[in-house]
Amino acid sequence: MDSIVKAGKQVFAFEEGDGKNKKLLGGKGANLCEMTQIGLNVPPGFVISTEACLSYLAASGEELPKSLLDEIDAQMKALEIKTGKRFGDAAAPLLVSVRSGSAMSMPGMMDTILNLGLNPQTLAGEIAQTGDPRFGYDTYRRFIQLFGKIALDISDELFDAELSAVKLDRGIKEDLALTADDLKEISERFLRVVQEQTGRPFPEAPYEQLILSVKAVFRSWMGKRAVDYRREFHITPEMANGTAVNICTMVFGNRGNDSATGVGFTRNPATGENHIFGEYLVNAQGEDVVAGIRTPKPIDYMATEMPDLFRQLQELRAKLENHYHEVQDFEFTIERGILYCLQTRNGKMNTTAMVRTSVEMEKEGLITRRQALLRIAPDSLAQMLFPRLDPAAKDRPLAKGLPASPGADFGHAVFDADRAEEQGRAGKPVILVREETKPEDIHGFFASRGILTSRGGKTSHAAVVARGMGKPCVAGAEGIEVNVTLRQATIGETVIHEGDIITIDGTTGMVYLGNVPTIEAEITDELNTLLGWADQEARLAVMANADTPNDAKRALQLGAKGIGLCRTERMFNASDRLPIVLDMIIAEDTQQRQIALDRLLPIQRGDFKGLLETMAGLPVTIRLLDPPIHEFLPSEQQLIKELAELQHLHQTVSGMEILSNTLDLLGDAELSAAEVAQVKSGTISSHLVEQAIEKKQTILKKVRALHEVNPMLGHRGVRLSVTYPEIYAMQIRALAEATVECVREALDVHPEIMVPQVCTSVELQYVKRMVDKIVAEVEQASGVKVKIKFGSMMEVVRACVRADSLAKEAEFFSFGTNDLTQATFSFSREDAENKFLPDYIDQVILRDNPFEVLDTQGVGKLMKLAIEGGRTTRPDMKIGICGEHGGHPASIMFCHQIGLSYVSCSAPRVPIARLAAAHAKLNEG
Amino acid sequence: MDSIVKAGKQVFAFEEGDGKNKKLLGGKGANLCEMTQIGLNVPPGFVISTEACLSYLAASGEELPKSLLDEIDAQMKALEIKTGKRFGDAAAPLLVSVRSGSAMSMPGMMDTILNLGLNPQTLAGEIAQTGDPRFGYDTYRRFIQLFGKIALDISDELFDAELSAVKLDRGIKEDLALTADDLKEISERFLRVVQEQTGRPFPEAPYEQLILSVKAVFRSWMGKRAVDYRREFHITPEMANGTAVNICTMVFGNRGNDSATGVGFTRNPATGENHIFGEYLVNAQGEDVVAGIRTPKPIDYMATEMPDLFRQLQELRAKLENHYHEVQDFEFTIERGILYCLQTRNGKMNTTAMVRTSVEMEKEGLITRRQALLRIAPDSLAQMLFPRLDPAAKDRPLAKGLPASPGADFGHAVFDADRAEEQGRAGKPVILVREETKPEDIHGFFASRGILTSRGGKTSHAAVVARGMGKPCVAGAEGIEVNVTLRQATIGETVIHEGDIITIDGTTGMVYLGNVPTIEAEITDELNTLLGWADQEARLAVMANADTPNDAKRALQLGAKGIGLCRTERMFNASDRLPIVLDMIIAEDTQQRQIALDRLLPIQRGDFKGLLETMAGLPVTIRLLDPPIHEFLPSEQQLIKELAELQHLHQTVSGMEILSNTLDLLGDAELSAAEVAQVKSGTISSHLVEQAIEKKQTILKKVRALHEVNPMLGHRGVRLSVTYPEIYAMQIRALAEATVECVREALDVHPEIMVPQVCTSVELQYVKRMVDKIVAEVEQASGVKVKIKFGSMMEVVRACVRADSLAKEAEFFSFGTNDLTQATFSFSREDAENKFLPDYIDQVILRDNPFEVLDTQGVGKLMKLAIEGGRTTRPDMKIGICGEHGGHPASIMFCHQIGLSYVSCSAPRVPIARLAAAHAKLNEG
């Protein structure tokens, strides 16, 4: 306890206290002072400072010091003058509320005592004044219970038991049915409880009541629950030390039809509309609104019912916004035609409302553009960008997995990609449910509204692809057992059959049976205005990761300034290409491989042209093939299973037994129409089966030959190009030729080539030579000048360390922080997130999952090294990030601070990134 | 061509030339000048400079410039005076040799023309002088052929055809059988060849012969072969530019019994003995020694045969060593009782001889200690440290694999570890042959003399363990197909059956059938002396990686200053512990796991005590468990196979069918003696089999649960301790208790704990708390003070980046450069070395395999960062390396330069590291 109080003022009238000094007056006290001083009609009152609390606790005597008692006394005297009432007076009794309030909101401390000052005498006065004995006794019994519990430490249950006894005796259920006499009896029973528990009668003297309450509030600061709470949430004495006590005149909204109570928002918190919003009840108390027994009226109704008070309310609204420059959520009470403001705070709104009010308040001149941008948390935009479950829906989730790609949607469950494609094409909404997904399932992704897997983490194939496509995905829902053969999934007792409707929420990881209502994404005009402002402020450009013209269009609509990463392997996975890619991989020599590549070339050229066209005027960064090629092959287990089935088919082929998946097994993409018809009609030839067996065996052999112990650190990226230069050569040629076609159509295109997994500048030289040669050939053949920027992924640690040297070859860098984080920590993401990262987070060995929050101290330091190195060689070098961190606000802030030129993220996150980029700039130094 | 020659002297008599200026005079020319000037009797001669060559080539005229011709003329005149002979004189003809010679030895340029100056007249004079027509014509025909070939560019084959024709005609096979007349005819035929090929008669004028020869030498510098050679070996003009021409008086060792020719070493190049060594032939030419037709005499015989000349030879030997301070390999000729020295160079010796001569020459005062150390390449010591194949053995290898652990040995092939143990214990030499090895094979390693695998690279289990044990290993010999069931291996047509003797050479990767003779390791007194000197010079301490007391003893004998790395997982692998480790892994809860760990504790304590005792007075660094625990489990395939067998056994158990490996399958380590007897007698109970099936199923489930996508980056090292703290707790307790036992025996022990895979200081705090707690408990219980140093492996990139923070917890660092290199390059070593690294090296994208040669620019930069960070926090911090690079000289040099305190390497490499550490210091600045 650091403050043996400096001598000085310890108690402040609302007119006196410094409205900004929460540390001294607590949050609530400061708020009351501020409201009073800006001219709102706050019921008179005063605050006992936190320093008074600390000095009381430090002295650890039982009694309050004389100086404090004197100050309280003086303030009470002043209150009596302001209100024209007197404390303990039977005719016009002054009643007050007593509340605690420290610098930070902190549950577990003493709450509120209402109606303090009541005793048999003052109660009689109240009843006389109001002519309402029921009101009087109700007020009284509430005071006795609150005071008993808080100031005298008597268990609530004892009071509740008495209340129940009376209700049982009267045969009633609702408190509202209690008569004045009932309440009188209850009050008397409560007084007896106090007598029994404390061994003394309930204190009747109002001053004694007040002093006991103040001491109870002070002591509650060191109560177990409060101390635990501060420890749990790391609240240090610098943040909040001691509690203040707020003493405030009671006002009643239930003094007749010229009284009311209500809550209001200065603007509509659901839509942001610039119009007062709220509800009120005539002749009622605040609790009545909460209890929900009477239906409150919309606040606009007051214009008719109490026009003058409504005008006052509108004035209050204007005063609040003009003073706070923020939408306010306030409580008011009207006592006998006089409007009191009891509390105000910043209004909590959904993001749509936040965005609208930001834009409108800026236009009204209430806030600056800077304020308009900064008051919205970038991540909160997700609410507007992805569909979400209607919070009103109360469905119980069936299972929980990892929130792998945000958004929510429903659909018929299907258990394989072909079925998904078939039904999706037929216009049916489907959710693809798999144990895990593989690249060959990609056509199923396109056709589905969402993906659910029972295995794999946030970097599983399903998760990564779904995020890229902006479709919801729940991954690794381990409670679900998927049985493809039976076409069903089991969750405990529940069975989902194919065709059953399910809903998945990729934002929370929840899975529901049936169609849970969702709220659609809503990209409003105000959002576009706001993001336009963000772009003006931001120094970082925001690009998108996009692999198809469709992705690119979406990214463009969401404001991307180009494509920062096109993963060409995604193109290889489409179902019209995969068989060719397979041929390329199992090719026994360069010549065979070249034949497959020659077939891929026109397709890839078309892909690139589509992207360049869509993004005309903006850069399109093509990353050459990155994953190890075995990722395009089926698994060893799958092949062994299929081979067994084929061999069985072969033995029984004369008997015309056709397995359900015969066409698949035979590799239908390779069959002629006649052959397909043959298979379908059951007149399948033994030759076809033999051919299929032979091919599967070749693939199996290749799968085994290509097996890697640590594929993350394996034969991939630029390393592939050293072994199989013809693959990159095809891609480079496709891009150069696509560029030529665009230039001929007078399009202003900006193609860029990016090399993955680079660890030395010699690799870049090697690929650069290939690019120069092929570009020269294409230019020669076409007569068109082709300009392609050349850059390097920075995802290998050594690349960061050797950046100065790499920058001699690379015109730009792009950080791949997913891989870089894996290499920096020596954490395999797939293994870490399933096996030990949860323990690391639980035990606070790491504060955050570094795959979600960029590790600025480790990975970030390597990035800084790389930027420094790169710009030593090439001072104006363009440097960006295209890992998933590029779409997350805290990481974007860091990217801004270390001087990146751009961030690139999945299309759906572009708006978030644009706002985060503006925040980064606005929060600078 | 950078030198349009500065005007100046272009031709230098041997007495004039600067013996150190190889650039100007060529290596050979400078050597001749130096020999002449230190008073050796060199036949008189002179050198035409490289600058003359360059200026001739630059001018590209046909003729030599007048100034050069004048200088040559003057030198020839001087030669005539020195020799008393005259060029072209019929009575006393001066004959010379003409040789090229650039600054670097460079095959492909013109070689040597002998006997220049001969023509019919001078030939007659020679014959008259020597009275030996055969000698005359032999000399003549050789001159014509050499001159024809070199100066006139006539194909050798044309001359050889004529020679063959004459031999065929005479019916003889050996040149030696040719008579004077035959040789005369050959000379005439040769002259006709020249006439036919050049259209002109053979030039007879000696001066014309000389000038033509000089021009031919000059031109040969730009000949295709020479140019190709320089390109191939990256010889730049700074290294060698142009060739000199050496003109030297001919001397003949075949002028009678007072003439001779020979070669000598100033010391014995095989043993290093300080005694002249060599051989000579009386009345013979140099070529006769090479041709091997006459058997030369050992040089000591000259003491009897030509005592005076032998004395001169001894003088020559002394002069050579006194001048060159190095063992010399020299050629000499005695012409009519006069000893000439024709050439000398540093003698090539084996390492044993190098070491002995270093020590002896230092003691003789011929060289300094610094020179004694620096003249021996540290890596060459391997020759003395590991057995090697006798170079005289000419066996043809059967197969080739990777040289995975140096040394060579033979043994009976066995195909499983149990058989190896059985036969090894019976005293039979065995070589363990496996497809690949697993930790459970470890007892087979102990029993074998060498390991041969058909799969896996230099970091495979077999390779790493064999290197640690210092046993030869050939890994990944892909040509070998191992069939354990048939107990044989097939290599093409050859079958190796169990028991067949094979020899493996782990230094070259070769595999031989039968017992190829080997030369044993020879750690001589001289080597110990030399290494003692090395220790005095070195700043780096050399420690050893050792996992058992035996390893430790060996390391100590080889001069290790402690154990820098004890891999505790090796202890877990021993066959008496593996079953307990298995129980620990499949434990379903902490309690079950603790039961297994309680059984391991005393064993581990014994291990540690053994190491501490052996290394008393020196530090012993214990690395806590590092590998992912699934490495201790059998493979999924293996388990599936065993389960199938067990299930078969179960079905047939009533029929008493016993599989050959029944005991293995049942887990014999777990059976009581009675049960074993039961199984052996065939009365195996169904219950036992069921029990075994259940256990295998549990293990299989665990294997699947623990499966990792990238085990290198997986759940291992300190990450294990976060999930299963009780494993590290057991190891820490074992070390603390072992320390107590040693202290009680009054041993001065220095235990250290090292934590693997650290990436953040919080991990270290976490383990440190565990250490402090356990040490306190052990101290409390024993009353003995326990001091254990605490340090961190530096093998994760992030650890290097955050070293300043880690050093707050760690008292020392040890770089694990194997893992660090993998993470820095994002190369999985096992995958890289099999798949793409060979392409990288072939295409010079990387100059070296970074797992063999430390990558100073990438990994090295991270190490520097880490050292800087660590010593910022803890200025005198002990920092070492325990990766395999720690045993390689170039990497040791780098470790010295960046300020490491020590290197730790496998025991057998300790001497190499000690010498390398001295080199590093001596080569400083």
Side-chain angles (χ1 to χ4, degrees), chain B residues 733-747:
Chain B
R733 181 172 301 276
L735 183 60
E737 292 178 352
T739 304
V740 166
E741 291 183 12
C742 290
V743 170
R744 283 186 173 148
E745 294 168 19
L747 289 170

Side-chain angles (χ1 to χ4, degrees), chain B residues 564-570 608 621-627 716 728 731 752-757 793 795 816 819 882:
Chain B
L565 171 65
C566 163
R567 285 152 293 207
T568 50
E569 56 270 21
R570 297 286 167 82
F608 292 152
T621 313
I622 303 293
R623 183 177 70 186
L624 299 175
L625 195 67
D626 181 39
R716 53 182 299 209
Y728 274 22
Q731 295 195 302
E752 305 187 344
I753 279 179
M754 184 156 74
V755 186
Q757 302 296 336
M793 283 289 287
E795 55 190 336
D819 278 6
C882 62

Side-chain angles (χ1 to χ4, degrees), chain A residues 452-659:
Chain A
L452 167 61
T453 68
S454 62
R455 273 170 54 176
K458 288 192 197 169
T459 28
S460 61
H461 176 262
V464 174
V465 174
R467 279 199 295 276
M469 293 185 177
K471 299 194 175 189
C473 174
V474 173
E478 293 188 347
I480 302 182
E481 208 160 308
V482 177
N483 189 324
V484 180
T485 320
L486 296 180
R487 299 195 174 280
Q488 66 181 36
T490 328
I491 302 145
E493 307 277 286
T494 311
V495 179
I496 301 174
H497 298 95
E498 184 162 293
D500 288 352
I501 287 191
I502 58 171
T503 300
I504 61 170
D505 183 349
T507 312
T508 61
M510 296 300 180
V511 182
Y512 303 83
L513 205 57
N515 178 357
V516 181
T518 54
I519 297 172
E520 279 312 296
E522 37 193 348
I523 300 186
T524 59
D525 290 346
E526 287 90 355
L527 179 57
N528 283 327
T529 303
L530 189 87
L531 292 174
W533 296 347
D535 291 349
Q536 284 166 20
E537 297 294 340
R539 198 194 61 222
L540 279 170
V542 176
M543 318 249 277
N545 301 347
D547 312 326
T548 64
N550 268 346
D551 286 356
K553 275 186 202 109
R554 186 163 175 196
L556 205 57
Q557 281 159 6
L558 292 174
K561 293 286 178 290
I563 294 179
L565 171 64
C566 162
R567 285 151 293 205
T568 52
E569 55 271 23
R570 298 284 167 84
M571 299 166 175
F572 280 27
N573 273 325
S575 55
D576 55 334
R577 296 112 196 252
L578 203 56
I580 315 179
V581 173
L582 209 72
D583 282 347
M584 175 192 88
I585 295 172
I586 62 176
E588 273 166 22
D589 52 35
T590 310
Q591 208 183 340
Q592 271 194 28
R593 187 169 306 114
Q594 194 57 55
I595 293 172
L597 286 166
D598 288 346
R599 289 166 66 201
L600 281 175
L601 176 68
I603 303 178
Q604 185 99 98
R605 184 172 56 224
D607 293 332
F608 292 153
K609 197 183 169 202
L611 288 174
L612 290 171
E613 281 172 347
T614 308
M615 283 283 159
L618 297 172
V620 173
T621 313
I622 303 293
R623 184 178 69 186
L624 300 174
L625 195 67
D626 181 40
I629 55 177
H630 54 71
E631 280 199 8
F632 298 103
L633 299 179
S635 72
E636 185 172 357
Q637 282 163 320
Q638 173 72 10
L639 283 166
I640 291 172
K641 195 169 140 261
E642 288 177 358
L643 263 170
E645 290 177 18
L646 275 171
Q647 261 137 7
H648 176 66
L649 187 65
H650 190 234
Q651 283 159 14
T652 58
V653 73
S654 57
M656 294 299 141
E657 184 194 338
I658 303 301
L659 298 180

